[in-house]
Amino acid sequence: SVHVLSPGYVNARLEKETPIFNKQRIDFAPPEKINSLVVSSNQLCMSLGKDTLLRIDLGKPDEPNQVELGRKDEAKVYKMFLDHTGSHLLIALNTSECLYLNRSVQKVRALSRWKGHLIESVGWNKFLGSETNTGPILVGTAQGQIYEAEISVSEGSLFSTNPDQYFRQVYTLEEESGPAPVCCLEIERGIEGKFFIIATTRKRLFQFVGKVPEGSEQQGFSSIFAMHADHLPSFREFPASFGFSEIAFYTPKLRSNPRSFAWMMGNGVLYGTLDYSRPDSILSDERVWVYPSDIDITVNKPISIVLTQFHFLLLLPDRVKAVCTLNGQVVFQDLFLEKFGFLTRMIKDPTVQQIWIHTEKVVFRYHVQRESRDVWKMYMNMNKFDLAKEYCKDRPECLDIVLAKEAEHCFQNKRYLDSAKCYALTQNYFEEIALKFIEAKQEEALMEFLIKKLSNLKPSEKTQTTLLTTWLTELYLNWLGILEGDPSQRNLYLDTREKFRTFLSSPRNKDCLFNNRASIYELLASHGDTEHMVYFAVIMQDYERVVAHHCQHDEYDEALNVLSRHRDEKLFYKFSPVLIQHIPKKVVDAWISMGSRLDARNLIPALVNYSQSASTQQINEAIRYMEFCVYQLEETQQAIHNYLLSLYALCRPDSLLSYLEQAGTNPNRIHYDLKYALRLCAEHGHHHACVHIYKVMELYEEAVDLALQVDVDLAKSCADLPEDDEELRKKLWLKIARHVVQEEKDVKKAMACLSSCALLKIEDVLPFFPDFVTIDHFKEAICNSLEDYNKHIEELKREMEEATQSAKRIREDIQEMRNKYGSVEPQEKCAACDFPLLNRPFYLFLCGHMFHYDCLLQAVFPNLPAYKQAKLEDLQKKLAATSQPSKSHHRPKDADTSSLGKGQQSREQIKADIDDIVAAECVYCGELMIRSIDKPFIDPQKYEEEMQSWL
């Protein structure tokens, strides 16, 4: 067998644990015998001998403080009482006197009002007490009276008045034989201003309950005792007595009120918890621990008791016993050697939870360490599993034992579901637990166990996760199959189905189910559970399987809903051919809602199959989607436009022509195939559409030929299209004229053609008329033609006269230009180099700018076209090659050169050609300056060099 999970803990202790109560002897040798010892808030006070008081701050044990009582008589310390702050110390003497010592002073003061009373107990006020004032407190005497008192000291260590503010009797405690000593007093505050006062005698435990009005707590507790003046308060009584009793309380950390109590009296120890919500008595869950046979109240009766969280400790003359409050068992016993003497007193510091024991010679201290270490085991044995788990949260090996015990307990009591939940949290062998539920035929509990076990697996435990997931699926399917066949189990079936679906859709199981979806599909198929197969497919986002399932069961609307909801383009392409055969309008609506996410080209096969088997009305759905693609989505794919064109040609001839016209006549912006469209329209006899396509293809002759078969006006509109080709336009109009004359034999229409096209003349049309036609029909046209010729001749004459006049004016202007001259002052400078102009050959332009010949050449040459640069270089070479250089300065290009000899004609001609190139226009005022406006001031190739020169 395969162990899915193995036990992970080894129950072994590698080292010896320290005891809960760890005793330590204090390194202190008292000079005199110890009479009494009290501890509170880390302040320790002990009475030594007859007249000495030793005070030790346990935070500074090396700095003890010794105070003398100052008594000259035979008085001895009877008891001492220290408040919760460690500030107020009361010292009761056996002479029925009482002394007071504050922590901040060295002088002991007698409490005069307290004289005559042997003090047995003090109930401190933990709510109003401070370091300088006790607040109202209660004092119990050996005669059974309870007094209310208050002690206060002024600032600065000196008493301004007597420290005891008042001392008044408020109650007397009695037993059946009369007044009895008040052994213990405790004051606690509950909820809503209610106070609880606990007082004990040798046999009785009294409770006084009452409210103190808010704001009047300083007035004391007289009102509470006054309520019981006429009747006894509630009390608990036990028959036996050993002359006194003692009560102890346990207060958890961070709490102000005790949570439990333990009262040591003659019959044993009464212990329990404190419930402050109860109206009359706060004692709850009371139990009595009877003294065992080794405790004889006549010989070795208990002396003191202290209470911890889970134990109470009894002090006997020669030993300490610790009893667990959970089960009443003695869990610890510590025997003291005879050399230390008899044990005298045991007391606990409530603030630091330390226990102190002393004899007349020695002081011991107990540290309480990890008291709750074995509490879980006790609660477990008591079948209080929740509490047991609470106390072993940080100890997984113990928690595992508790869970296993709880699981077994639930299984034995046939609480199988609870048992399964606990078993799933243990480290017990998986197979053993599973077989246990299978043998008990508890499939529901087994499923619960597997579910919990699955939820506790780590992500890395993939094999275990797969096994549990598959097994759970099988169990769920079996259980659903059983419940589905039983009508009386309908509600349980629905609840189980919901759990199964939750299991399938759980994010935690998603990866495992996805990786093993093939196995899950097989399980679902083997059970014939198509409903959950679809549900599982949706969870796995296997929408192809879902849609296929709906299509197989003719649930086309559901299939389309799945497609529309998940908007998967590939699924639309795959299932559209099937769906459009049954719900065409809804499918097209879904396509349209998908918008540009669908590629219409991939849907054309579905539309083609559908349109071939459908009626004209159904084809309209295909046209609707194609129109949406063309007009809304502005599709430019040729296949889409071609298909829409074919649908128009087949079913909507009226829409065909409007579509073609809307597409325009620019072939570069037309998205359908012109040749395909022409063939399609020709096959279906749509001549108007064919004519339009011919026009787009610029086949005007074919357009006119076809248009003449339909409408002469249509042919005329086609004939005017080739605007730039007059010859072709004339040819087209001649075709129209020939058709009108020869086919329609309508002379008037033929004459109308002449007026429609200015290119046609009567002489062009005459050859088309038959010989027998009389001239009367077109006499007017011939006359109009002759008149046009006359007008044209007159216009030509007028143009010739204007040309003659223009030539005459030009000759006059040339003659005038030859006589023009310009004057140059001696101080004039070149506009380019700023040197005197007359030093070298120069040019003078009409705009007034003057340049040296070489300066102008340098400025013009880089901006000349390549062919002119070559020509200029050639002319310069020819000029240099002539034998006799010119001695005169260059003149302006318009200077009269007719006086030069014939021998210089060639040289002057070369210079004139150079002037034509170089001095064609002023370099500053001509087109050259305009063309150079976008050129940078600095040559880009020399930019870096120029920039460096500025640094």
Side-chain angles (χ1 to χ4, degrees):
S1 63
V2 178
H3 291 293
V4 176
L5 290 170
S6 300
Y9 304 118
V10 177
N11 190 12
R13 298 196 177 185
L14 302 180
E15 58 181 82
K16 186 177 179 181
E17 287 189 334
T18 57
I20 295 175
F21 302 101
N22 189 21
K23 183 173 68 175
Q24 175 191 6
R25 180 181 174 182
I26 304 300
D27 186 14
F28 171 71
E32 299 180 76
K33 71 175 183 177
I34 302 173
N35 297 322
S36 182
L37 182 147
V38 288
V39 183
S40 183
S41 293
N42 244 6
Q43 302 295 318
L44 184 146
C45 300
M46 65 173 72
S47 168
L48 300 176
K50 177 184 175 184
D51 199 46
T52 304
L53 195 66
L54 189 65
R55 295 186 297 183
I56 301 174
D57 183 347
L58 296 177
K60 305 172 184 176
D62 299 332
E63 302 176 12
N65 175 252
Q66 187 171 318
V67 178
E68 300 298 328
L69 297 181
R71 303 288 296 190
K72 303 299 182 182
D73 54 12
E74 296 297 322
K76 296 181 180 179
V77 174
Y78 176 63
K79 285 185 178 181
M80 294 197 304
F81 309 94
L82 186 63
D83 80 316
H84 62 286
T85 66
S87 301
H88 307 282
L89 177 65
L90 291 173
I91 306 161
L93 303 178
N94 59 357
T95 56
S96 298
E97 294 177 85
C98 193
L99 307 178
Y100 172 75
L101 179 63
N102 190 274
R103 184 168 67 182
S104 60
V105 300
Q106 286 288 105
K107 186 176 180 181
V108 177
R109 296 298 301 268
L111 302 177
S112 58
R113 292 186 175 90
W114 296 41
K115 193 170 183 179
H117 301 284
L118 183 61
I119 307 303
E120 286 283 352
S121 58
V122 175
W124 296 104
N125 193 325
K126 294 178 285 188
F127 317 106
L128 296 177
S130 66
E131 292 183 358
T132 59
N133 189 288
T134 63
I137 61 174
L138 297 177
V139 180
T141 69
Q143 292 76 34
Q145 296 99 354
I146 297 177
Y147 287 87
E148 185 177 72
E150 183 175 358
I151 300 173
S152 179
V153 294
S154 61
E155 299 290 336
S157 303
L158 294 174
F159 294 115
S160 58
T161 58
N162 287 335
D164 48 335
Q165 302 295 306
Y166 61 87
F167 191 78
R168 55 175 176 261
Q169 183 177 352
V170 292
Y171 202 79
T172 301
L173 294 183
E174 295 184 354
E175 293 181 350
E176 69 277 2
S177 59
V182 182
C183 298
C184 295
L185 281 169
E186 182 74 15
I187 304 170
E188 296 298 338
R189 182 168 61 185
I191 57 176
E192 298 177 353
K194 186 182 291 186
F195 280 84
F196 297 87
I197 299 172
I198 296 175
T200 65
T201 62
R202 292 165 296 188
K203 296 181 179 180
R204 292 182 177 180
L205 187 153
F206 294 88
Q207 293 185 73
F208 299 88
V209 183
K211 284 188 177 181
V212 175
E214 187 176 353
S216 61
E217 291 89 345
Q218 194 65 43
Q219 297 177 7
F221 308 103
S222 304
S223 60
I224 297 176
F225 289 102
M227 295 168 60
H228 301 279
D230 299 331
H231 60 86
L232 284 174
S234 64
F235 65 89
R236 293 293 310 275
E237 184 174 15
F238 289 86
S241 168
F242 46 60
F244 65 93
S245 71
E246 185 174 344
I247 191 166
F249 297 91
Y250 168 70
T251 304
K253 291 181 179 179
L254 307 177
R255 285 187 57 178
S256 58
N257 292 333
R259 193 179 71 181
S260 55
F261 75 97
W263 179 40
M264 180 186 73
M265 40 71 186
N267 289 89
V269 177
L270 174 70
Y271 64 96
T273 59
L274 301 177
D275 184 357
Y276 296 92
S277 63
R278 299 180 66 181
D280 299 324
S281 172
I282 61 173
L283 307 184
S284 178
D285 298 331
E286 298 174 39
R287 284 167 286 176
V288 176
W289 182 77
V290 180
Y291 296 129
S293 57
D294 62 338
I295 297 179
D296 185 352
I297 62 173
T298 60
V299 180
N300 61 340
K301 59 186 177 181
I303 302 169
S304 293
I305 185 172
V306 297
L307 181 63
T308 63
Q309 186 176 4
F310 297 107
H311 302 84
F312 61 80
L313 280 74
L314 285 176
L315 181 70
L316 301 170
D318 61 345
R319 72 192 64 192
V320 172
K321 280 182 180 288
V323 179
C324 179
T325 56
L326 299 178
N327 55 14
Q329 299 295 316
V330 177
V331 296
F332 173 76
Q333 184 168 266
D334 193 6
L335 189 64
F336 287 76
L337 299 177
E338 289 185 7
K339 67 176 182 178
F340 299 133
F342 290 109
L343 302 179
T344 306
R345 175 87 171 145
M346 176 171 61
I347 192 167
K348 185 181 74 169
D349 187 342
T351 57
V352 293
Q353 304 295 328
Q354 290 180 347
I355 300 168
W356 297 78
I357 297 174
H358 73 92
T359 66
E360 291 183 348
K361 305 176 183 178
V362 186
V363 178
F364 298 92
R365 178 170 58 188
Y366 279 100
H367 290 279
V368 183
Q369 296 180 328
R370 294 178 56 236
E371 183 183 5
S372 61
R373 67 181 71 170
D374 294 325
V375 169
W376 64 272
K377 192 181 297 182
M378 298 175 192
Y379 278 130
M380 180 183 72
N381 294 331
M382 296 163 63
N383 293 334
K384 295 183 177 180
F385 300 108
D386 289 338
L387 289 171
K389 287 182 281 189
E390 188 71 26
Y391 284 99
C392 56
K393 278 183 177 178
D394 55 344
R395 301 170 68 185
E397 71 281 0
C398 301
L399 180 61
D400 190 65
I401 297 171
V402 174
L403 288 168
K405 183 73 180 290
E406 182 181 7
E408 186 63 30
H409 176 76
C410 294
F411 194 91
Q412 295 298 332
N413 288 277
K414 298 185 178 181
R415 291 163 46 205
Y416 296 110
L417 285 176
D418 293 335
S419 176
K421 293 175 183 177
C422 293
Y423 269 131
L425 298 173
T426 67
Q427 300 296 318
N428 290 18
Y429 284 114
F430 174 83
E431 298 90 332
E432 293 178 3
I433 301 168
L435 287 171
K436 198 169 188 176
F437 286 115
I438 292 172
E439 289 171 359
K441 297 181 179 179
Q442 294 296 321
E443 280 200 5
E444 189 176 359
L446 176 61
M447 289 164 60
E448 185 67 31
F449 169 67
L450 296 178
I451 290 170
K452 292 292 183 183
K453 206 69 176 174
L454 180 63
S455 66
N456 293 330
L457 290 178
K458 299 175 183 176
S460 59
E461 298 173 310
K462 296 184 187 280
T463 304
Q464 294 92 325
T465 303
T466 302
L467 286 171
L468 293 182
T469 302
T470 309
W471 193 3
L472 273 169
T473 303
E474 176 71 20
L475 289 174
Y476 266 121
L477 291 172
N478 286 337
W479 188 237
L480 287 171
I482 294 170
L483 294 176
E484 191 175 15
D486 188 353
S488 62
Q489 299 288 337
R490 180 65 180 170
N491 290 334
L492 181 57
Y493 167 77
L494 294 175
D495 184 54
T496 306
R497 185 182 69 174
E498 189 61 33
K499 288 181 180 178
F500 181 44
R501 292 185 173 184
T502 303
F503 167 74
L504 291 177
S505 59
S506 169
R508 182 181 177 84
N509 304 331
K510 183 177 180 181
D511 290 340
C512 178
L513 289 170
F514 182 80
N515 295 331
N516 299 280
R517 59 189 182 278
S519 301
I520 304 298
Y521 281 132
E522 289 177 7
L523 282 174
L524 292 166
S526 66
H527 285 266
D529 195 341
T530 55
E531 178 185 0
H532 284 106
M533 183 181 289
V534 172
Y535 182 83
F536 180 67
V538 170
I539 293 172
M540 294 294 103
Q541 297 183 357
D542 190 358
Y543 302 117
E544 182 176 350
R545 188 183 292 267
V546 177
V547 176
H549 169 80
H550 287 312
C551 290
Q552 288 169 5
H553 292 78
D554 297 337
E555 298 169 352
Y556 302 109
D557 286 335
E558 286 296 325
L560 184 60
N561 288 339
V562 174
L563 289 177
S564 301
R565 190 162 53 249
H566 300 289
R567 304 173 75 82
D568 188 329
E569 300 89 346
K570 293 180 181 179
L571 294 183
F572 265 103
Y573 300 146
K574 182 170 183 177
F575 291 101
S576 288
V578 177
L579 295 176
I580 201 167
Q581 299 290 338
H582 300 89
I583 47 173
K585 185 179 185 305
K586 292 182 179 179
V587 171
V588 171
D589 289 339
W591 289 351
I592 291 174
S593 68
M594 287 287 287
S596 59
R597 293 183 61 178
L598 289 179
D599 187 346
R601 292 177 301 174
N602 295 328
L603 297 174
I604 289 177
L607 291 170
V608 170
N609 292 335
Y610 169 64
S611 60
Q612 287 176 350
S613 60
S615 65
T616 304
Q617 183 179 359
Q618 291 170 321
I619 291 177
N620 288 338
E621 294 300 329
I623 294 176
R624 180 161 70 96
Y625 181 63
M626 288 292 104
E627 287 179 338
F628 168 76
C629 294
V630 171
Y631 298 123
Q632 300 297 323
L633 301 182
E634 298 180 353
E635 283 283 357
T636 59
Q637 298 291 334
Q638 191 177 77
I640 296 171
H641 286 263
N642 286 349
Y643 184 58
L644 178 59
L645 200 66
S646 68
L647 293 175
Y648 279 151
L650 184 64
C651 295
R652 291 191 189 174
D654 296 338
S655 300
L656 174 62
L657 189 58
S658 62
Y659 164 76
L660 293 174
E661 291 173 348
Q662 188 172 348
T665 57
N666 186 347
N668 296 324
R669 296 188 178 182
I670 288 175
H671 305 302
Y672 58 85
D673 187 339
L674 288 166
K675 295 179 180 179
Y676 171 76
L678 183 61
R679 185 172 68 254
L680 195 66
C681 295
E683 286 177 1
H684 291 84
H686 302 312
H687 297 306
H688 278 82
C690 290
V691 170
H692 179 82
I693 296 169
Y694 277 134
K695 290 193 293 185
V696 175
M697 298 172 72
E698 297 184 358
L699 299 175
Y700 301 115
E701 291 190 48
E702 289 82 349
V704 171
D705 290 341
L706 185 58
L708 289 174
Q709 300 176 25
V710 181
D711 184 11
V712 174
D713 291 334
L714 180 59
K716 290 179 179 180
S717 65
C718 296
D720 281 332
L721 290 176
E723 298 176 353
D724 299 333
D725 192 343
E726 291 187 356
E727 184 179 350
L728 177 59
R729 193 145 48 102
K730 183 176 180 180
K731 183 179 178 181
L732 297 177
W733 276 102
L734 287 172
K735 279 178 178 284
I736 296 171
R738 182 187 294 113
H739 175 80
V740 172
V741 173
Q742 295 178 353
E743 300 295 331
E744 298 186 8
K745 296 180 174 56
D746 191 337
V747 178
K748 290 183 178 180
K749 268 192 179 181
M751 295 302 102
C753 288
L754 293 178
S755 61
S756 298
C757 180
L759 299 176
L760 288 184
K761 303 298 179 184
I762 187 61
E763 58 269 28
D764 298 323
V765 181
L766 284 176
F768 302 145
F769 288 96
D771 296 338
F772 55 83
V773 176
T774 60
I775 197 171
D776 293 338
H777 293 91
F778 39 84
K779 177 181 177 181
E780 186 180 350
I782 292 173
C783 293
N784 290 337
S785 180
L786 292 173
E787 287 178 4
D788 289 340
Y789 279 124
N790 288 331
K791 288 179 182 178
H792 187 55
I793 291 168
E794 291 298 326
E795 187 175 345
L796 289 175
K797 287 180 179 180
R798 189 169 56 255
E799 288 177 358
M800 289 174 65
E801 290 176 0
E802 289 177 357
T804 303
Q805 293 296 326
S806 179
K808 183 180 178 182
R809 285 196 296 272
I810 289 172
R811 283 194 298 272
E812 292 173 354
D813 289 343
I814 291 172
Q815 186 62 36
E816 186 180 350
M817 286 296 292
R818 286 176 178 171
N819 298 326
K820 263 196 171 182
Y821 64 92
S823 60
V824 177
E825 299 294 333
Q827 68 272 18
E828 293 290 352
K829 295 182 180 180
C830 173
C833 67
D834 207 29
F835 281 98
L837 185 68
L838 299 177
N839 290 351
R840 301 199 299 275
F842 64 88
Y843 289 99
L844 171 63
F845 291 93
L846 294 177
C847 60
H849 287 117
M850 292 167 274
F851 301 91
H852 290 128
Y853 165 74
D854 54 341
C855 294
L856 183 63
L857 180 64
Q858 186 179 359
V860 171
F861 187 80
N863 297 289
L864 291 175
Y867 75 94
K868 281 193 176 184
Q869 289 181 353
K871 184 178 179 181
L872 182 58
E873 289 175 351
D874 185 51
L875 289 172
Q876 286 177 328
K877 289 179 182 178
K878 288 180 180 179
L879 183 62
T882 55
S883 58
Q884 185 181 355
S886 174
K887 295 181 180 179
S888 62
H889 295 299
H890 283 285
R891 292 178 176 83
K893 65 178 179 176
D894 56 346
D896 187 4
T897 60
S898 58
S899 61
L900 295 175
K902 292 182 180 179
Q904 296 295 326
Q905 188 68 31
S906 176
R907 180 180 177 83
E908 293 302 325
Q909 183 62 45
I910 292 171
K911 292 170 67 178
D913 291 341
I914 291 174
D915 290 344
D916 288 340
I917 296 173
V918 176
E921 60 181 1
C922 176
V923 73
Y924 286 174
C925 301
E927 291 185 7
L928 179 62
M929 183 57 67
I930 295 172
R931 288 198 302 270
S932 66
I933 194 170
D934 59 344
K935 291 186 178 180
F937 291 111
I938 301 173
D939 187 349
Q941 295 179 352
K942 298 181 179 179
Y943 181 79
E944 289 295 332
E945 181 183 346
E946 185 69 24
M947 197 169 79
Q948 291 297 328
S949 68
W950 283 78
L951 297 177

